[in-house]
């Protein structure tokens, strides 16, 4: 179980789930021209979760000092698993992920796509070793990488199959994937800031320059409170302008996305303790989950 927790298996399952949903709940039902068969899609998921697992491991290796303060009961590296073993696993997962990505790029006859896996792998290492300590840059970079786990499906599935005849259809569905990626970016960015508020004590001890440390916990909470209205406004606008004819979709977004986002904004108004921010972080994760599950509604929304 320690090894599963080290690679953040729940997060990896969510990545696999959303990639499967994009293919089988969004693209397949509409007969969109795609490049990957079942084996190809499986390989894309494996490559993505291997590199993500490697990123989670290297993050834990560099976070030993902060985790010892912020969450000593959940400390794995140096306690349940040695740093040497963790580092070896980091290398193995990276080699597997990049290797599968190399094969997959040849499979769709787009060799340049291989660079995506290399860039993501390098960025995850740079994030853990350096960027995480810098003001907002680390938060933005990791949120971009989360968004890329969605966009990469569109890149491999749609771009190699695009012709002059189906170009408009491919573009329409790529835009839907991109919109979901933007949603994932925003929610993850807000969650990263929330986690920085939750972990301020350990981060301060480790000499990090996170937003709460630079401007103070109280001001950072106010900034997060204001920022929390961005996804609330964007999703509400989308529901009013695009989903108003579909009652099931409207109800789903109201109950499972808009209501929790409104709840987060209300909680942030008075949040001050580590427990408060931990709770808000978990609600953000639920919003992300329900947001991705809304892909199941597309065959009813677009018909």
């Amino acid at each position: 179980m320690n090894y599963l927790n080290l690679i953040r298996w729940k997060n990896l399952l969510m990545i696999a789930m959303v990639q499967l949903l994009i293919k089988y709940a969004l693209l397949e039902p509409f007969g969109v021209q795609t490049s990957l068969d079942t084996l190809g899609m499986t390989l894309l998921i494996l490559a993505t979760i291997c590199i993500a697992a490697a990123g989670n491991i290297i993050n834990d290796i560099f976070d030993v000092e902060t985790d010892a303060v912020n969450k000593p009961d959940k400390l794995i590296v140096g306690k349940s698993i040695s740093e040497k073993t963790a580092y070896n696993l980091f290398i193995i997962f990276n080699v597997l992920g990049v290797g599968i990505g190399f094969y997959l790029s040849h499979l769709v006859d787009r060799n340049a796509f291989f660079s995506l896996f290399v860039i993501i792998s390098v960025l995850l290492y740079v994030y853990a070793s350096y960027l995480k300590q810098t003001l907002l840059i680390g938060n933005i970079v990791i949120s971009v990488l989360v968004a890329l786990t969605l966009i990469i499906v569109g890149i491999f599935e749609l771009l190699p199959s695009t012709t002059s005849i189906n170009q408009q259809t491919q573009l329409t569905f790529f835009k839907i994937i991109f919109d979901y990626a933007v949603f994932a970016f925003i929610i993850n960015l807000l969650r990263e800031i929330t986690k920085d508020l939750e972990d301020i004590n350990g981060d301060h001890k480790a000499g990090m320059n996170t937003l709460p440390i630079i401007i103070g916990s109280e001001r950072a909470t106010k900034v997060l409170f204001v920022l929390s209205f961005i996804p609330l406004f964007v999703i509400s606008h989308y529901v009013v302008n695009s989903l108003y004819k579909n009652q099931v979709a409207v109800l789903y977004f109201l109950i499972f996305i808009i209501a929790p986002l409104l709840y987060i904004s209300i909680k942030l108004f008075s949040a001050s303790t580590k427990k408060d921010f931990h709770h808000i972080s978990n609600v953000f994760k639920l919003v992300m989950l329900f947001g991705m599950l809304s892909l199941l509604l597309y065959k009813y929304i677009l018909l």
Side-chain angles (χ1 to χ4, degrees):
M1 199 63 195
N2 287 323
Y3 287 96
L4 288 174
N5 289 332
L6 179 66
I7 63 173
R8 305 287 194 278
W9 65 276
K10 291 178 183 177
N11 292 350
L12 299 186
L13 275 180
M14 189 164 173
I15 290 171
M17 180 201 74
V18 70
Q19 291 188 334
L20 284 170
L21 283 173
I22 290 171
K23 180 171 179 66
Y24 295 108
L26 178 64
L27 302 178
E28 292 285 325
F30 295 96
V32 179
Q33 189 71 37
T34 56
S35 305
L36 300 176
D37 56 14
T38 303
L39 175 61
M41 191 64 208
T42 303
L43 289 174
L44 179 60
I45 291 170
L46 276 174
T48 308
I49 64 175
C50 279
I51 292 173
N56 290 331
I57 293 168
I58 199 66
N59 195 54
D60 268 16
I61 291 172
F62 279 103
D63 272 1
V64 169
E65 186 181 352
T66 56
D67 287 347
V69 176
N70 293 326
K71 40 190 174 182
D73 53 322
K74 293 183 179 179
L75 191 65
I76 299 172
V77 176
K79 186 177 178 182
S80 307
I81 298 171
S82 70
E83 189 170 320
K84 183 180 179 181
T85 302
Y87 198 76
N88 287 336
L89 285 170
F90 161 72
I91 293 170
I92 290 167
F93 277 115
N94 254 327
V95 170
L96 277 172
V98 173
I100 295 169
F102 178 76
Y103 173 76
L104 199 59
S105 301
H106 280 275
L107 198 66
V108 297
D109 199 28
R110 293 291 190 278
N111 295 340
F113 288 0
F114 167 63
S115 60
L116 278 170
F117 298 97
V118 178
I119 291 167
I120 292 169
S121 178
V122 170
L123 276 176
L124 282 168
Y125 182 86
V126 175
Y127 164 77
S129 61
Y130 174 69
L131 292 178
K132 191 174 184 180
Q133 304 172 32
T134 59
L135 178 64
L136 286 178
I137 301 298
N139 301 135
I140 292 169
V141 167
I142 201 66
S143 299
V144 167
L145 291 174
V146 167
L148 269 176
T149 62
L150 282 75
I151 293 173
I152 203 167
V153 180
I155 290 171
F156 272 87
E157 285 281 38
L158 300 176
L159 296 190
S161 302
T162 301
T163 65
S164 56
I165 298 170
N166 67 8
Q167 188 175 3
Q168 193 56 49
T169 301
Q170 304 294 89
L171 187 63
T172 298
F173 280 89
F174 192 90
K175 187 179 182 301
I176 293 170
I177 295 170
F178 185 79
D179 288 345
Y180 270 85
V182 171
F183 170 80
F185 169 82
I186 294 170
I187 298 300
N188 195 78
L189 180 60
L190 297 183
R191 184 168 179 261
E192 286 294 316
I193 297 172
T194 306
K195 284 160 64 181
D196 285 344
L197 281 160
E198 180 187 351
D199 296 340
I200 189 170
N201 293 331
D203 289 349
H204 188 271
K205 186 179 178 183
M208 292 189 173
N209 295 311
T210 62
L211 185 68
I213 290 170
I214 297 296
I215 68 172
S217 182
E218 192 175 330
R219 285 180 182 174
T221 304
K222 289 177 181 177
V223 169
L224 186 59
F225 170 72
V226 173
L227 291 176
S228 71
F229 285 98
I230 294 174
L232 195 56
F233 172 78
V234 171
I235 298 297
S236 298
H237 182 268
Y238 173 69
V239 170
V240 170
N241 288 279
S242 302
L243 302 180
Y244 64 95
K245 290 181 181 178
N246 192 306
Q247 290 186 347
V248 174
V250 169
L251 280 173
Y252 181 91
F253 275 82
L254 282 173
I255 295 168
F256 295 107
I257 299 174
I258 292 175
L261 284 172
L262 188 59
Y263 172 78
I264 286 169
S265 297
I266 293 167
K267 287 292 287 184
L268 278 170
F269 189 74
S270 59
S272 59
T273 67
K274 183 181 177 75
K275 186 179 178 181
D276 289 337
F277 295 120
H278 181 72
H279 173 65
I280 290 166
S281 174
N282 284 336
V283 179
F284 269 128
K285 190 182 280 190
L286 278 175
V287 170
M288 179 82 83
L289 174 63
F290 286 124
M292 297 304 115
L293 286 174
S294 70
L295 283 162
L296 290 166
L297 299 172
Y298 262 83
K299 63 179 178 180
Y300 306 107
I301 294 171
L302 295 181
L303 288 177

